[in-house]
């Protein structure tokens, strides 16, 4: 199934792995909300790549509750850290962890055509969100309401990145054609 909460910046071949949400303390530490299934990768980074193109040298990193706390060179005060609030943290796509067979990054799935088991195109994959127990695929239907499909094996029959298609069996409660 899809590894959730990653979105691509296709022009730069980078993906968002987190968001700086606030300063932490008065010495310029920053608090980052991980948006990846592999938050441990923050501890392996030597620099933070920000959405505005800046790169900050990391001097220390650790987890605190569900957040990553980082200290970066040049960010010395709470005011310095406050200026980073809301910035997205990126990673180059080639630096992403390898996935196991049958796992996909959401960024690789977005925009793929979605077909039913009879071969009729329903629309394109617009979004993937997590409910806690499983992901849900949001299929954008031309001139219709979006279709929601649980990302479970009984509904998602095939994901083929090479042929650029997803095949689903719609749940019986779906009011789609």
């Amino acid at each position: 199934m899809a590894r959730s909460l990653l979105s691509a910046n296709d022009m730069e071949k980078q993906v968002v792995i987190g968001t700086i949400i606030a300063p932490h303390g008065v010495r310029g530490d920053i608090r980052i909300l991980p948006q990846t299934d592999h938050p441990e990768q923050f501890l392996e980074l030597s620099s933070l790549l920000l959405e505005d193109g800046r790169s900050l040298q990391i001097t220390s990193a650790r987890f605190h509750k569900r957040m990553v706390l980082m200290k970066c060179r040049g960010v010395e005060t709470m005011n310095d850290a406050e200026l980073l609030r809301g910035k997205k943290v990126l990673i180059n796509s080639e630096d992403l962890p390898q996935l196991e067979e049958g796992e996909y990054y959401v960024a690789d799935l977005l925009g793929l055509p979605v077909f039913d088991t009879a071969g009729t195109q329903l629309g394109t994959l617009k979004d993937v969100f997590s409910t806690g127990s499983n992901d849900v695929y949001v299929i954008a239907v031309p001139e219709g309401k979006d279709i929601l499909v649980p990302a479970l094996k009984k509904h998602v029959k095939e994901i083929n990145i090479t042929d650029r298609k997803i095949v689903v069996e719609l749940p019986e409660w779906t009011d789609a054609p």
Side-chain angles (χ1 to χ4, degrees), residues 1-175:
M1 289 290 113
R3 300 300 273 192
S4 59
L5 302 175
L6 291 175
S7 59
N9 176 342
D10 293 328
M11 291 179 58
E12 301 295 328
K13 298 294 185 213
Q14 298 166 338
V15 289
V16 175
I17 60 168
T19 301
I20 299 172
I21 59 167
H24 183 80
V26 296
R27 295 191 177 127
D29 289 4
I30 56 176
R31 205 169 3 174
I32 300 171
L33 174 65
Q35 295 170 285
T36 173
D37 286 341
H38 300 282
E40 68 279 358
Q41 68 192 354
F42 280 96
L43 302 180
E44 300 167 7
L45 296 175
S46 59
S47 62
L48 278 187
L49 181 59
L50 302 181
E51 63 185 323
D52 61 9
R54 286 188 287 169
S55 180
L56 301 174
Q57 188 70 32
I58 299 169
T59 57
S60 68
R62 63 186 169 92
F63 286 101
H64 178 68
K65 299 183 181 175
R66 292 184 32 210
M67 301 291 166
V68 178
L69 300 181
M70 284 197 172
K71 178 71 177 146
C72 296
R73 188 165 287 133
V75 182
E76 305 302 328
T77 68
M78 183 171 27
N79 289 339
D80 294 341
E82 181 63 42
L83 295 173
L84 299 173
R85 183 188 294 263
K87 298 274 189 243
K88 301 289 185 195
V89 177
L90 307 169
I91 189 171
N92 292 320
S93 58
E94 64 266 11
D95 296 330
L96 289 169
Q98 290 294 327
L99 297 177
E100 298 197 18
E101 187 173 330
E103 291 185 323
Y104 305 92
Y105 284 111
V106 171
D108 294 333
L109 302 179
L110 294 177
L112 289 181
V114 180
F115 298 87
D116 65 16
T117 53
T120 304
Q121 184 170 348
L122 301 170
T124 58
L125 189 67
K126 171 180 165 181
D127 196 7
V128 177
F129 65 87
S130 180
T131 62
S133 59
N134 60 273
D135 289 346
V136 175
Y137 288 2
V138 180
I139 303 167
V141 178
E143 301 175 28
K145 289 193 328 185
D146 291 347
I147 301 171
L148 303 179
V149 177
L152 302 171
K153 287 183 181 183
K154 74 181 208 176
H155 297 296
V156 180
K157 299 300 183 183
E158 177 186 352
I159 296 176
N160 191 322
I161 300 291
T162 306
D163 292 342
R164 298 198 38 79
K165 72 177 184 176
I166 298 173
V167 178
V168 299
E169 183 175 306
L170 295 176
E172 62 244 13
W173 47 262
T174 304
D175 59 354

